[in-house]
Amino acid sequence: MTEDLFAAARRCLDAAAPDAKVSLTFTTAEAWEAGRLALESDLAPAPIAEPGRPPRPRLVAPGAVPRRSARSAEGRAALIHAITHIEFNAINLAWDAVYRFRAMPRAYYDDWVGVAAEEANHFGLLRRRLAELGHEYGDFDAHDGLWEMARNTSRDVLVRMALVPRVLEARGLDVTPGMMERLRQAGDPRTVSILELILREEVGHVAVGSRWFRFACRQRGLDPEPTFLDLLQRYMKGRIKGPFHEAARSAAGFTDTELTELKRQAGVDRE
């Protein structure tokens, strides 16, 4: 019997060891691309739960994760670890987008399987860079903010697409250039080159969220712009931060109206 994509996605979600999650992600993406996974399943998605992850890093409140300067070797490793943790979570988020939301067009699954594979590659690149600096994934505390939003958006693909790719993951488009500059100043071109690749591909990941958010709006006869802004008010009021990388966000599908409202909510002026 041919395995279905949703069972394979669940297996990737459940894998706790980083090596296993990455390996399963790549083999599942290859199987999907080769047409070896069915899109039909008799089993509905289970209620959202904790994804598989290793016992470390220790998860703490977001405010309890210390900010480190990239000028010191330890601070640079802590910064890279924080990004590595985001990419590990992003693997789970991509697979949950596949597993949780059924009856979407095949192109939706093509997109999110591809995102999962790219996030796994990002995680691997950063994990190897950490090892070069004498550290492992898990050596520093981290927080669970991304998966908390996954729990909050688990019942509606429209809300998930609006708030995870287009809010939380889009924040990476804004902050990555500044991190790259700090790492350049600290004399770490190796990490900068990794972040350059990640930034390019993350624009595409946020664009996937924009594309399927607008698809869900069209299905329901909703205007995407006011729908997105309403969701920001309902879920993110007072939590939007600037400045914004407007060129990257525009490339990822944000409209001028959306950017203007994001800047208004963050209390920053348009460039």
Side-chain angles (χ1 to χ4, degrees):
M1 180 183 294
T2 303
E3 185 180 30
D4 65 82
L5 174 64
F6 305 109
R10 178 63 187 268
R11 194 165 59 252
C12 293
L13 273 169
D14 288 344
D19 286 340
K21 192 178 293 287
V22 168
S23 177
L24 279 170
T25 292
F26 289 144
T27 57
T28 301
E30 290 167 5
W32 172 251
E33 187 174 350
R36 297 196 301 271
L37 295 172
L39 196 51
E40 296 76 30
S41 175
D42 295 330
L43 298 177
I48 196 165
E50 293 298 315
R53 53 187 163 205
R56 297 169 57 245
R58 184 175 70 117
L59 298 180
V60 300
V65 179
R67 293 177 63 86
R68 307 286 186 97
S69 169
R71 294 181 183 276
S72 70
E74 187 78 359
R76 201 155 56 248
L79 174 62
I80 295 167
H81 186 277
I83 308 167
T84 306
H85 180 65
I86 289 169
E87 297 298 329
F88 185 82
N89 272 281
I91 302 170
N92 287 325
L93 288 166
W95 283 125
D96 194 71
V98 171
Y99 172 76
R100 191 144 311 282
F101 304 113
R102 311 292 171 91
M104 295 291 285
R106 177 173 288 271
Y108 170 90
Y109 302 104
D110 289 340
D111 279 347
W112 283 110
V113 170
V115 169
E118 288 185 351
E119 302 290 19
N121 183 53
H122 298 171
F123 174 75
L125 291 170
L126 290 163
R127 193 177 174 209
R128 287 190 288 275
R129 181 63 183 134
L130 267 180
E132 291 168 0
L133 297 173
H135 286 276
E136 298 179 359
Y137 176 54
D139 281 357
F140 300 89
D141 290 347
H143 68 79
D144 198 28
L146 282 172
W147 195 254
E148 180 62 32
M149 184 61 83
R151 284 190 284 267
N152 293 341
T153 60
S154 63
R155 294 193 174 116
D156 191 334
V157 67
L158 185 152
V159 180
R160 170 69 67 86
M161 294 297 110
L163 296 179
V164 172
R166 304 195 86 228
V167 175
L168 297 189
E169 294 187 274
R171 187 65 187 142
L173 306 184
D174 305 326
V175 302
T176 299
M179 290 190 291
M180 289 164 57
E181 183 56 33
R182 292 199 300 276
L183 289 163
R184 280 193 197 95
Q185 293 175 2
D188 189 351
R190 170 84 177 105
T191 305
V192 170
S193 68
I194 294 171
L195 294 185
E196 286 173 341
L197 168 68
I198 290 174
L199 179 58
R200 287 196 301 272
E201 294 187 344
E202 292 294 345
V203 169
H205 300 176
V206 177
V208 167
S210 294
R211 177 158 55 251
W212 294 108
F213 168 68
R214 294 199 173 100
F215 172 86
C217 286
R218 287 196 302 272
Q219 277 193 318
R220 303 177 199 188
L222 299 173
D223 187 337
E225 283 183 348
T227 300
F228 178 64
L229 300 179
D230 176 64
L231 290 169
L232 287 181
Q233 283 292 319
R234 285 166 52 195
Y235 286 86
M236 301 297 298
K237 191 170 184 178
R239 295 164 57 194
I240 299 296
K241 296 180 180 178
F244 301 97
H245 188 339
E246 293 194 51
R249 282 182 176 258
S250 294
F254 283 81
T255 66
D256 284 345
T257 299
E258 289 171 334
L259 288 168
T260 297
E261 180 59 19
L262 284 166
K263 289 202 153 195
R264 187 193 69 78
Q265 291 195 24
V268 296
D269 297 324
R270 289 298 302 268
E271 296 173 355

